[in-house]
Amino acid sequence: MHILRVANFVSPTSGGIKTALRHWGEVYRERGHQVSLIIPATKGEQPVTEESQGTIYRVPATPIPRTGYSLMWSRAGLRRLMEQLSPDTIEVSDRSTLRWTGRWARRQGVGSIMISHENMTGIMVRRTPVPDVPAVWMADVVNRHSADDYDAIVCPSRFAAEEFHRLGIPARVVELGVDLEVFHPDDSYERLAPDGQRRSGETLHIIHCGRLAPEKNPQLSIETLRHLVWRGVDAHLTVLGQGPLRDSLIERAHDLPVTFHSYIHGRTELATVMRRADVAIAPGPLETFGLAALEALACGVPTVCPDEGALAEVVRDGGIAAPSDPALFADAVLELSRREGARGRARAQAETFNWEDSSDRMLEVHEEVRAAASRR
């Protein structure tokens, strides 16, 4: 089977979607399938490359100011490339600008899957000036159109799927995975801080996991540290992640013990930094999965997350889900820092997720939509 993936919001510094695409593609190929991926082009990259996840095609795209992302707007050029590739199924990771690809697939007799990486209801309610009730209605319209245009909808969590289920749309839940060999615990946290310096005194080392963008609520990590400092706790926060809020967050944290880590390109280096922390904070209230939090858990780092969104589904016994309030997050950080066996419980929770199972469940959906397309 030739599986074509198409995705916007992928860049050299992007996180969860890019990671999921890579791991799924690698397993698809291991299972004997031909795999292609179309993503926005980035300056300096080759237009076509052969990689472990398959053949990657980078097409011209328009940059979105202050986001770090670009979007593939040209339907004509993208349509020609898709027709040239002639896939059996398509897997699309964008429910807005690329939704037309579902209708294209139907005309071509190709099975189609839309991956819902975001919660449209949450975005409309929390990130737009539209009042709550009309915002929910608008999200419902988008979701109904998505279900009409594609053969299957796949979501990475129950939280992400709920906005489809309430409309009677049978969205599938396929949880993501984590590389348990790269992200693993060791005893380096007993000697070293996340910055690689030797630990001194009783400093509580915290890491922030997540992109520095408005929808991720990174300021909650800064304000949690502020509450800890106010209480007299010797704490230090290392911020892992890039994004449009980086400069404003640096200014906000100027009077606090915070290190903003430079961008980490390699997963091995990221894991090395993560596993030296005592506690992680993953503050995103609208996460539909939370891969960065899962990677922290895999490193044996207990994690504080919001009690809204999907992060509580991922963290479970590996940390604490609390209301998105700095004082309550500070309480949770202190509790986890003192909890006996917290690091072992974090790792055990992470071990319930893996990319093999996630990819095999995705392949089951691909087989179903290919069979459905052949019957049309």
Side-chain angles (χ1 to χ4, degrees):
M1 177 167 49
H2 182 187
I3 300 172
L4 170 62
R5 285 99 54 75
V6 187
N8 271 319
F9 304 102
V10 175
S11 74
T13 60
S14 57
I17 295 177
K18 182 179 177 181
T19 301
L21 289 169
R22 183 181 70 250
H23 283 288
W24 280 340
E26 288 172 349
V27 178
Y28 294 171
R29 293 191 72 195
E30 289 173 5
R31 301 291 188 267
H33 300 287
Q34 180 183 352
V35 186
S36 302
L37 171 63
I38 302 175
I39 58 175
T42 301
K43 185 177 180 179
E45 291 187 311
Q46 294 295 319
V48 182
T49 57
E50 291 291 339
E51 301 186 12
S52 61
Q53 62 175 304
T55 307
I56 299 182
Y57 299 85
R58 297 175 178 86
V59 305
T62 303
I64 308 174
R66 298 183 298 278
T67 67
Y69 292 121
S70 297
L71 291 179
M72 301 178 290
W73 287 108
S74 174
R75 292 190 182 187
L78 190 53
R79 185 183 297 113
R80 284 194 297 270
L81 177 57
M82 293 167 63
E83 290 172 355
Q84 174 188 336
L85 294 175
S86 187
D88 298 300
T89 62
I90 63 169
E91 176 187 297
V92 180
S93 294
D94 178 0
R95 65 202 295 181
S96 54
T97 60
L98 291 177
R99 202 176 68 214
W100 62 269
T101 59
R103 298 186 294 276
W104 172 88
R106 191 155 293 166
R107 292 192 299 269
Q108 298 292 319
V110 172
S112 62
I113 302 170
M114 188 200 77
I115 313 294
S116 181
H117 291 284
E118 66 285 315
N119 182 272
M120 185 61 66
T121 305
I123 291 173
M124 294 300 297
V125 169
R126 300 182 63 140
R127 303 302 179 196
T128 71
V130 181
D132 286 4
V133 173
V136 172
W137 292 343
M138 292 170 67
D140 287 349
V141 169
V142 172
N143 290 333
R144 285 194 181 98
H145 282 306
S146 296
D148 289 341
D149 290 338
Y150 291 88
D151 295 324
I153 306 292
V154 169
C155 301
S157 64
R158 294 190 302 275
F159 167 72
E162 188 278 330
E163 63 176 351
F164 293 98
H165 291 168
R166 73 167 183 248
L167 300 174
I169 298 168
R172 318 289 185 86
V173 176
V174 177
E175 295 176 325
L176 306 184
V178 64
D179 190 331
L180 294 167
E181 294 184 2
V182 171
F183 295 93
H184 64 82
D186 63 25
D187 62 1
S188 62
Y189 75 95
E190 297 176 356
R191 307 181 307 276
L192 300 174
D195 63 2
Q197 300 297 312
R198 288 211 165 268
R199 284 186 177 241
S200 59
E202 298 298 323
T203 302
L204 175 62
H205 287 281
I206 307 164
I207 54 171
H208 162 90
C209 301
R211 181 171 165 77
L212 306 181
E215 68 275 9
K216 305 290 187 179
N217 198 25
Q219 60 271 20
L220 178 55
S221 296
I222 303 296
E223 296 310 312
T224 297
L225 177 67
R226 193 181 305 279
H227 269 265
L228 291 168
V229 171
W230 283 346
R231 298 180 192 185
V233 177
D234 179 7
H236 185 276
L237 174 67
T238 298
V239 177
L240 304 178
Q242 302 289 308
L245 294 184
R246 182 180 174 89
D247 289 344
S248 64
L249 290 170
I250 291 174
E251 182 178 351
R252 185 174 191 151
H254 76 278
D255 58 340
L256 294 171
V258 181
T259 298
F260 285 81
H261 207 290
S262 57
Y263 182 72
I264 300 174
H265 290 275
R267 292 179 295 160
T268 300
E269 182 185 355
L270 176 61
T272 298
V273 174
M274 277 186 162
R275 67 173 63 101
R276 292 171 180 164
D278 299 304
V279 179
I281 297 177
L286 295 178
E287 295 285 5
T288 53
F289 188 74
L291 191 54
L294 180 55
E295 290 169 346
L297 293 174
C299 290
V301 183
T303 300
V304 181
C305 69
D307 60 357
E308 54 188 325
L311 279 166
E313 296 179 40
V314 174
V315 171
R316 299 177 197 169
D317 194 46
I320 295 175
S324 296
D325 176 270
L328 297 178
F329 260 50
D331 291 341
V333 166
L334 290 175
E335 180 178 339
L336 286 177
S337 70
R338 300 162 182 162
R339 178 181 286 179
E340 185 176 353
R343 298 186 76 89
R345 289 160 72 172
R347 173 66 182 188
Q349 173 58 22
E351 288 174 351
T352 65
F353 298 90
N354 68 82
W355 286 113
E356 294 278 325
D357 290 345
S358 179
S359 302
D360 285 339
R361 293 196 63 192
M362 282 299 303
L363 285 171
E364 290 175 4
V365 183
H366 276 283
E367 294 287 0
E368 290 177 18
V369 300
R370 182 175 70 162
S374 69
R375 294 193 294 269
R376 283 200 289 264

